[in-house]
């Protein structure tokens, strides 16, 4: 196990959510989705930050109770948001989470942390054949190095960054990687937790 004090969680909450506007403020069991993700991340016991573009209501921002880091490229996608935040944090590693990763938390973090080996630049979970770069553990310096190069060349997809990093992919139960993209996803999730 690595020194958790040198790792921070960065919750990415600046996406446009065109398929489900303002989804991060939608309640799940009476608690806004983003607040649920923040609580799950807080259970890890390390520093937690939210990265976004100040599009939350003041009430939502006050409920989070953690530092908010403004994305210097609002709406530019998760890679730009991570690079923006990584440039301002001192931690060696970043546990990146999408703001709608409603089931990711301490257990997923422990699996990624346990898999991390010297020389790794990322540990990325896989459910089936798909890598999940927005629920992954990264070397902050490596992400900055490759992310800045990619952004400079016009490439801004997380898959582009993954292709340039020394990545260890690990299989995890799909339940840890459940996210909400459209209203039906939220309805299905709510039905599953009340069943």
């Amino acid at each position: 196990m690595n020194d958790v004090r040198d790792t921070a969680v960065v919750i990415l909450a600046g996406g446009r959510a065109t398929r489900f506007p303002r989804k991060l403020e939608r309640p799940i069991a009476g608690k806004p989705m983003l607040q649920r993700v923040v609580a799950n991340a807080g259970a890890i016991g390390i520093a937690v930050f939210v990265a976004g573009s100040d599009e939350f209501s003041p009430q939502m921002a006050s409920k989070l109770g953690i530092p908010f880091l403004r994305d210097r490229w609002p709406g530019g996608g998760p890679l730009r948001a991570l690079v923006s935040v990584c440039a301002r944090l001192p931690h060696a590693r970043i546990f990146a989470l999408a703001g709608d990763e409603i089931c990711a938390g301490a257990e997923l973090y422990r699996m990624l942390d346990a898999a991390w080996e010297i020389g790794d630049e990322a540990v990325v979970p896989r459910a089936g054949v798909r890598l999940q770069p927005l629920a992954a553990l990264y070397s902050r310096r490596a992400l900055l190095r490759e992310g800045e190069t990619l952004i400079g060349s016009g490439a801004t997809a997380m898959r582009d960054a993954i292709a340039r990093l020394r990545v260890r992919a690990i299989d995890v139960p799909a339940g840890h990687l459940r996210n909400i993209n459209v209203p039906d996803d939220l309805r299905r999730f709510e039905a599953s937790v009340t069943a």
Side-chain angles (χ1 to χ4, degrees):
M1 180 177 281
N2 298 284
D3 185 356
V4 296
R5 294 168 299 180
D6 210 14
T7 304
V9 180
V10 173
I11 300 170
L12 299 170
R16 291 190 179 114
T18 55
R19 294 183 289 167
F20 193 178
R22 302 196 75 79
K23 68 179 176 178
L24 299 183
E25 296 190 43
R26 301 291 173 120
I28 297 176
K31 185 184 289 189
M33 185 184 308
L34 183 57
Q35 190 178 4
R36 179 187 180 98
V37 174
V38 167
N40 289 347
I44 298 169
I46 60 179
V48 179
F49 300 88
V50 170
S53 56
D54 284 341
E55 294 181 4
F56 304 123
S57 67
Q59 298 85 357
M60 181 66 186
S62 69
K63 287 178 183 177
L64 297 179
I66 60 172
F68 180 86
L69 301 173
R70 186 163 173 66
D71 180 355
R72 71 181 191 224
W73 294 297
L79 179 59
R80 286 181 184 221
L82 277 172
V83 168
S84 177
V85 171
C86 285
R88 291 178 273 163
L89 293 177
H91 304 83
R93 297 185 312 167
I94 300 295
F95 181 32
L97 284 178
D100 64 357
E101 287 282 350
I102 53 175
C103 296
E107 190 174 342
L108 176 61
Y109 173 78
R110 283 192 291 271
M111 286 187 272
L112 299 175
D113 181 56
W116 189 278
E117 294 184 13
I118 293 171
D120 287 346
E121 293 180 326
V123 177
V124 181
R126 177 178 50 214
V129 297
R130 294 189 62 215
L131 292 176
Q132 300 294 325
L134 295 183
L137 190 58
Y138 294 95
S139 157
R140 184 184 64 84
R141 285 185 179 163
L143 194 56
L144 266 175
R145 180 191 72 228
E146 299 304 335
E148 287 174 346
T149 299
L150 287 165
I151 291 167
S153 70
T156 59
M158 285 301 299
R159 70 179 169 276
D160 296 325
I162 294 293
R164 295 174 64 107
L165 298 171
R166 290 189 306 273
V167 172
R168 182 174 308 282
I170 65 166
D171 293 312
V172 301
H176 290 293
L177 303 173
R178 193 163 188 179
N179 65 350
I180 305 295
N181 291 312
V182 295
D184 281 346
D185 292 341
L186 181 56
R187 285 190 280 277
R188 282 192 293 272
F189 177 74
E190 289 177 319
S192 73
V193 295
T194 58

